[in-house]
């Protein structure tokens, strides 16, 4: 090493030697003794509200950190998510079996059907009708839609609704791999699987499987079976108009199938038009072709399986809807099949009730007499503990799915007065508005004359048309002063119209509801409410009268005692008995309705029964009960093809029928058969 280089190194070393008092220890104290730097928040050097406004650096840093964490979590979850090898159970559909109350098989339904159809055989206009309605960007998205996800997340945060925003790939994943619950974790897994499936499976394959596995209602899975169920043709024969209707069903067949609910028709037409217009908008249907489709392609009525013909179809209908409701089972889930439904229906009672109605029908001649046309019979027999034992729903379920035993279509008329009597006994009356209430007993006397004005604390009651409301008795007969017990026993109407005003219509309504009548069937709160302007079904009337038989305890009517699926019990929220009215009140109503046999078509043994008529004679009722069952029968006329307005019954059965009471006749024949 040269002398020059050695001298240079010594000078540099001398410069690096710290001065006294400023050595490495002090420098270390300055470096390592310093506090770690923290985020400047709240911000130093500022006061007031600006002190609490974070800097853009802090906001940006926080956002980047959050995004990094989210990306890391999603990345790990995506890497750990595998496409399941097995599909859901929809591929192995099963029949559902219904049993009589004694455990013997009653009916078997095999609605669920699915047939694979290659995408190449599905017409382009049908395929694009589905894509236009559900996911127009299917071929360009990556399995998920960011716009849809944003919308779905907003719904989740705002109201807990995790539905909406799903692409076709997501819907397919949900249908065949995941459960139908609406949790956030299920939605997150759905999105991960959709992205992975989109990367590994061809788009046409995903669409084909989606179209073959989606539920279209009426027990059908896939476009092929849907085309057969709604139009009776192959999917290859569908036009764009029919395809647009079937596409609407993917939003929910219970909302768009006109056969499910008449109100669905307007929704279906609106959705059908929108889908066709959407096809034009995305360039998959020409305006000239769109102009051809001006009439809605009406689907065919549903055709039930042969095992549900006759009265069994009405029983299956009642049991199915009840099982889904109290078992919290969706339509799509129930259509997967595999259920064993144990009903409360008793076969001997069904046979006797059906025979009784058919015998009465035999006296009608609709070809010769206009008054015998469009006659409808509804009947139901319900145990005091709520079990529906038998119903008559109509002539044949496969010809008429409208269940007349469960229809709220005609007024109860004077058959409603026992609830007015019970409310008076239960709550008492007030002659003055907000005045003290006095007790009502069976011996309380009212005016039983015909055509007497109905009074309020302010005087006579006038309706909106300016007409004074008056009590009317059957046959315009007057009875003078009469006790409530005798008025009920003799079916005198005018006392109960006044009793309704004295008791209060709200109290009558609450008593009737507690006894089993549905609020949705109640008429307007006017004096006629006490005379039965409500429209309960035969099932509900029988159940409500059963409350009197049960000494004031009420149980909602039910048609299924238990259900299983593949041997595993299905949890059903069955009703429980509850106190509706005091036992003494119920027993007095029964005592007033009990009469010796032989009158009004009743059998020879004493029974508690009440006939019911309406002022305009559009409905006739007969309800009778004993400790075993309450049975309600209603006869009315209604042309369902025109309107739901009841038609007059005058002349029913012709002159030879005289004053024949068809409901009492049916009830009598049925009761005698069951007595034997």
């Amino acid at each position: 090493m040269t002398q020059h280089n050695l001298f240079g190194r010594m000078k540099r070393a001398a410069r690096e030697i710290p001065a006294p008092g400023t050595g490495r220890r002090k420098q270390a104290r300055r470096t390592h003794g310093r506090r770690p730097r923290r985020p400047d928040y709240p911000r130093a050097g500022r006061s007031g509200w600006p002190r609490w406004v974070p800097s853009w650096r802090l906001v940006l840093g926080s956002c980047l950190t959050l995004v990094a964490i989210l990306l890391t979590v999603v990345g790990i979850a995506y890497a750990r998510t595998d496409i399941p090898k097995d599909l859901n159970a929809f591929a192995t559909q099963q029949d559902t079996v219904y049993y009589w109350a004694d455990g013997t098989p009653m009916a078997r339904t095999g609605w669920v059907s699915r047939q694979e159809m290659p995408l190449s055989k599905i017409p382009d206009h049908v395929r694009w009708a589905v894509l236009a309605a559900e996911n127009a960007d299917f071929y360009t998205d990556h399995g998920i839609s960011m716009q849809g996800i944003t919308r779905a997340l907003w719904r989740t945060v705002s109201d807990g609704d995790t539905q909406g925003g799903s692409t076709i790939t997501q819907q397919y994943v949900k249908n065949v791999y995941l459960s139908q619950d609406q949790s956030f974790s299920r939605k997150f897994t759905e999105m991960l699987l959709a992205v992975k499936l989109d990367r590994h499976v061809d788009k046409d394959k995903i669409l084909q499987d989606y179209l073959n596995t989606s539920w279209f209602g009426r027990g059908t899975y896939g476009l092929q079976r849907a085309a057969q169920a709604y139009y009776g043709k192959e999917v290859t024969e569908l036009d764009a108009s029919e395809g647009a209707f079937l596409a609407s069903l993917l939003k929910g067949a219970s909302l768009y199938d006109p056969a499910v609910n008449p109100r669905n028709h307007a929704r279906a037409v609106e959705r059908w038009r929108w889908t066709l217009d959407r096809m034009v908008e995305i360039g998959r249907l020409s305006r000239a072709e769109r102009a051809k489709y001006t009439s809605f392609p009406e689907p065919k009525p549903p055709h039930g399986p042969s095992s549900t013909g006759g009265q069994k179809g009405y029983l299956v209908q009642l049991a199915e809807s009840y099982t889904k409701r109290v078992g919290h089972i969706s339509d799509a889930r129930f259509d997967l099949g595999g259920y064993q439904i144990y009903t409360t229906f008793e076969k001997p009672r069904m046979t006797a009730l059906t025979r009784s109605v058919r015998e009465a029908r035999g006296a009608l001649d609709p070809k010769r007499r206009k008054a015998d046309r469009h006659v409808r019979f509804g009947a139901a027999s319900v145990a005091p503990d709520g079990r529906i034992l038998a119903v008559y729903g109509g002539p044949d379920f496969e010809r008429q799915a409208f269940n007349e035993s469960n229809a709220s279509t005609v007024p109860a008329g004077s058959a409603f007065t026992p609830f007015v009597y019970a409310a008076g006994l239960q709550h008492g009356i007030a002659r003055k508005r907000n005045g003290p209430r006095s007790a009502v007993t069976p011996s309380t006397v009212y005016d039983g004359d015909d055509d007497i004005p109905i009074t309020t604390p302010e005087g006579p009651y006038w309706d909106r048309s300016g007409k004074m409301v008056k009590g009317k008795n059957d046959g315009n007969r007057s009875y003078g002063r009469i006790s409530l017990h005798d008025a009920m026993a003799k079916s005198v109407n005018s006392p109960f119209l006044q009793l309704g005003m004295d008791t209060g219509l709200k109290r009558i309504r609450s008593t009737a509801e507690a006894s089993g009548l549905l609020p949705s069937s109640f008429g307007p709160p006017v004096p006629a409410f006490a005379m039965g302007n409500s429209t309960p079904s035969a099932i509900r009337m029988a159940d409500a009268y059963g409350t009197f038989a049960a000494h004031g305890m009420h149980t909602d009517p039910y048609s299924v005692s238990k259900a299983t699926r593949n041997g595993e019990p299905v949890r059903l929220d069955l009703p429980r008995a509850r106190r509706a009215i005091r036992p003494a009140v119920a027993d007095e109503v029964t005592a007033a309705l009990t009469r010796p046999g032989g009158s009004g078509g009743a059998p020879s043994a004493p029974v508690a029964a009440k006939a019911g008529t309406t002022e305009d004679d559009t409905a006739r009722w007969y309800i009778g009960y004993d400790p075993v069952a309450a049975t309600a029968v209603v006869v009315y006329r209604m042309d369902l093809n025109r309107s739901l307005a009841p038609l007059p019954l005058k002349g029913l059965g012709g002159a030879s029928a005289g004053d024949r009471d068809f409901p009492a006749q049916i009830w009598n024949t049925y009761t005698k058969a069951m007595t034997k």
Side-chain angles (χ1 to χ4, degrees), residues 72 113 223 238 302 329 366 442 453 477 491 502 537 543 562:
T72 302
S113 56
L223 266 175
L238 294 176
I329 305 170
R477 183 178 175 184
S491 295
D502 296 342
S537 67
D543 177 66
K562 70 173 182 176

Side-chain angles (χ1 to χ4, degrees), residues 143-144 149 170 186-196:
I144 60 175
I149 291 173
Q170 287 177 261
R186 201 275 297 155
K187 192 73 176 178
F188 181 68
T189 304
E190 171 190 300
M191 290 188 290
L192 292 178
L193 280 173
V195 173
K196 183 158 284 191

Side-chain angles (χ1 to χ4, degrees), residues 1 10 45 69 226-227 302 462 485 489 497 536 650:
M1 180 180 297
M10 291 176 64
I69 293 173
W462 303 81
H485 178 94
L497 192 60
K650 184 178 180 180

Side-chain angles (χ1 to χ4, degrees), residues 58 266 332 336 536 620 668:
L58 180 61
L336 294 176
R620 298 174 188 171
N668 180 43

